[in-house]
């Protein structure tokens, strides 16, 4: 079963509008972390925002905020005031513990965001 | 901020060649490094986790003898694709993380290596 699900292969938004990128996850571990990364066409992975499973408040970083709904197991990314430079692939990822210690990230399939004039 | 350097950024070589990719953490000690593979328009798939001074832990389905990983120091991990074939052509990207206890620390990614085997 998929652990991280991003149901929107592609999204379009007009410049200066807000957009929400969906992410749902599945885990039985009470301690986990959720990350969002941006990947422009050049390929590098840019860390955007983090939400811990025990965090009481939704994470915010500038124009990025994370709508964390623990009971629904969703961690949607909200980008406010979209800019042309926001056009990229966005990945949701979950950190979970692995057997023997340590942890790893599991990535969703990504959402391609296109910001239009 | 933390910087991870990955070299080379692009490799084109003949079938049967072995290719080495380097991943360096420039301003922090990376106790753990990760190697991912990404096919066009697809997600990142974890290949292996590399801890400094110990053998890498490979994900299911990843050939250990094909993808050799060495993490000899706290700032350098290498991935060697041995006897590469066209099906090995892909985007390979590494990431590094500092202290393991800091669970909210993000993995910092290199810029990736586009490998094309002719």
């Amino acid at each position: 079963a998929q652990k991280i699900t991003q149901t929107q292969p592609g999204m379009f938004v007009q410049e200066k509008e807000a957009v929400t990128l969906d992410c749902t996850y599945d885990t039985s571990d009470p301690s986990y972390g959720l990350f969002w990364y941006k990947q422009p066409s050049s390929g590098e992975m840019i860390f955007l925002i983090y939400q811990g499973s025990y965090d009481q408040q939704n994470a915010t970083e500038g124009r990025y905020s994370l709508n964390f709904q623990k009971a629904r197991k969703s961690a949607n990314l909200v980008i406010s005031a979209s800019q042309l430079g926001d056009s990229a692939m966005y990945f949701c990822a979950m950190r979970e513990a692995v057997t023997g210690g340590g942890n790893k990230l599991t990535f969703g399939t990504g959402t391609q965001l296109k910001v239009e004039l | 901020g933390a910087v991870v350097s990955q070299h080379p950024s692009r490799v084109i070589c003949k079938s049967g060649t072995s290719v080495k990719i380097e991943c360096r953490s420039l301003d922090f000690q990376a106790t753990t490094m990760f190697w991912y593979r990404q096919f066009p328009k697809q997600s990142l798939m974890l290949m292996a986790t590399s801890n400094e001074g110990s053998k890498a832990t490979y994900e299911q389905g990843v050939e250990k003898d094909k993808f050799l990983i060495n993490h000899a120091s706290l700032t350098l991990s290498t991935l060697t694709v041995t006897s590469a074939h066209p099906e090995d052509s892909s985007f390979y990207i590494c990431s590094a993380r500092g202290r393991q206890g800091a669970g909210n620390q993000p993995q910092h990614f290199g810029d990736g290596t586009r490998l094309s085997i002719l």
Side-chain angles (χ1 to χ4, degrees), chain A residues 39-56:
Chain A
Q39 186 180 41
S41 57
S42 50
E44 71 269 28
M45 293 288 284
I46 302 167
F47 166 69
L48 297 178
I49 197 165
Y50 167 82
Q51 181 83 44
S53 57
Y54 294 119
D55 292 344
Q56 295 295 316

